């Protein structure tokens, strides 16, 4: 039973990757910075780094989902755990297949409530905790994300107007950091003559190709913000999935550190495989079918997403990466007017969000009944 539960955890992690990798990288494609495959690879790498880091950063989230929703002393049979995992996985995979960005957090919440009602008639669920720790953060996060992206964009637009066409160039051979403006004028910000060799002279004028080094421009910041959002998603989602293995334990503690690291390692790998193999469909929807965006708008959406999701993961508040990222993109579109948002797509997304909890509750409850007959 424990081995089967672990396999289901890996399957859920895979399903999560197929649906959620899009949330941090869609703006890269939508704003024309890169193509789908490069964006998905970038998001996959940072998601895996974040999921691995969650083993050390997201203990509060693990406790929220493994012990904070049921009454102390409740004996939870393994069939409950398997029903929650199987029901959530099936719904998320179906959504990924059809191209709908849904919330794994919502799906897990619905599955836990559904199996709780089926197994204990709802008596063992801590309803105040379900509302306070899960329902309220999930309900508030879309509005916070929409408002933050709406307010953040003007600030970034002013910064981008001054930075457009400019970049920083790191020149290892010269041991120099050089600022380059849109006209090609350079200004040396930092030089060093240590290590026994002189610093080469940096020209006062150049045609950009004359500087050989690592350039950091507005597009680079967008890449970094996307990586940060993917990292935040990994730290937010991995502990929720891992916590399901502790659902039937007496305490929210691992038998040993090695087992904890092994489980997080397996979940990290499964999320990475799912992200890279199956992340295209939902990414296309968010990148092309919600609104058009430029570099600055995409950067604003990603910064709002990464800051909210990373903060919530550290605090143990299970916000939905789907709701946050989708809402930031909608918020960017609203800045350009109601007509800039493709409302049929948004309506379909919101409908999927609304249906997720009751659908997974019913599906997980049905699976619990079937598993109870089998085992």
């Amino acid at each position: 039973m424990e081995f089967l539960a672990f396999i289901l955890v890996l399957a859920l992690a895979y399903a999560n990757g197929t649906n959620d990798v899009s949330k941090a990288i869609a703006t890269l494609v939508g704003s024309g910075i890169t193509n789908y495959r490069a964006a998905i690879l970038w998001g996959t790498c940072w998601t895996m780094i974040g999921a691995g880091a969650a083993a050390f950063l997201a203990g509060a989230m693990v406790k929220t989902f493994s012990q904070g929703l049921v009454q102390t002393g409740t004996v939870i049979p393994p069939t409950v755990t398997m029903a929650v995992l199987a029901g959530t996985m099936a719904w998320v995979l179906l959504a990924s297949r059809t191209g709908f960005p849904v919330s794994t957090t919502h799906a897990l919440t619905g599955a836990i409530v559904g199996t709780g009602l089926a197994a204990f008639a709802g008596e063992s669920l801590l309803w105040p905790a379900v509302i306070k720790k899960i329902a309220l953060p999930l309900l508030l996060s879309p509005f916070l994300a929409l408002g933050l992206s709406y307010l953040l964009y003007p600030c970034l637009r002013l910064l981008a107007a001054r930075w457009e066409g400019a970049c920083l160039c790191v020149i290892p051979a010269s041991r120099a950091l050089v600022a380059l403006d849109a006209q090609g004028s350079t200004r040396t910000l930092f030089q060093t003559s240590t290590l026994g060799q002189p610093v080469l002279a940096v020209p006062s004028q150049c045609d950009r190709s004359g500087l050989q080094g690592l350039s950091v421009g507005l597009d680079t910041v967008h890449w970094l913000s996307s990586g940060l959002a993917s990292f935040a998603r990994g730290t937010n989602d991995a502990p929720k999935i891992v916590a399901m293995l502790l659902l039937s334990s007496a305490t929210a503690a691992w038998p040993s550190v090695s087992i904890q690291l092994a489980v997080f390692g397996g979940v990290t790998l499964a999320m990475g495989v799912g992200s890279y193999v199956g992340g295209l469909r939902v990414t296309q929807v968010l990148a092309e079918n919600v609104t058009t965006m430029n570099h600055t708008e995409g950067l604003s959406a990603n910064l709002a997403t990464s800051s909210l999701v990373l903060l919530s993961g550290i605090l143990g508040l299970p916000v939905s990466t789907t709701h946050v990222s989708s809402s930031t993109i909608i918020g960017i579109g609203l800045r350009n007017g109601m007509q800039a948002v493709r409302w049929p797509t948004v309506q379909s997304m919101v409908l999927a969000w609304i249906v997720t909890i009751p659908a997974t509750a019913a599906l997980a409850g049905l699976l619990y009944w079937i598993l109870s007959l089998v085992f």
Side-chain angles (χ1 to χ4, degrees), residues 80 118 157 210 275 322 362 366:
V80 168
R157 184 176 58 184
S275 298
T322 301
L366 176 62

Side-chain angles (χ1 to χ4, degrees), residues 114-207:
T115 52
L117 290 172
F120 312 110
E123 296 179 357
S124 295
L125 289 174
L126 296 175
W127 292 105
V130 172
I131 295 173
K132 180 180 179 181
K133 293 183 178 181
I134 294 182
L136 285 180
L138 289 175
L139 289 173
L140 292 177
S141 58
F143 300 100
L144 290 174
L146 191 150
L148 183 58
S149 66
Y150 194 91
L151 296 174
L152 188 61
Y153 173 68
C155 301
L156 287 178
R157 184 176 58 184
L158 292 176
L159 178 63
R162 300 185 60 182
W163 200 355
E164 192 66 40
C167 67
L168 297 176
C169 189
V170 181
I171 311 175
S174 305
R175 297 191 183 88
L177 177 63
V178 179
L180 180 65
D181 64 22
Q183 289 71 43
S185 300
T186 62
R187 182 164 60 94
T188 302
L189 302 178
F190 175 78
Q191 288 180 315
T192 178
S193 57
T194 58
L195 302 179
Q197 295 185 9
V199 175
L200 301 179
V202 177
S204 60
Q205 295 287 331
C206 76
D207 59 356

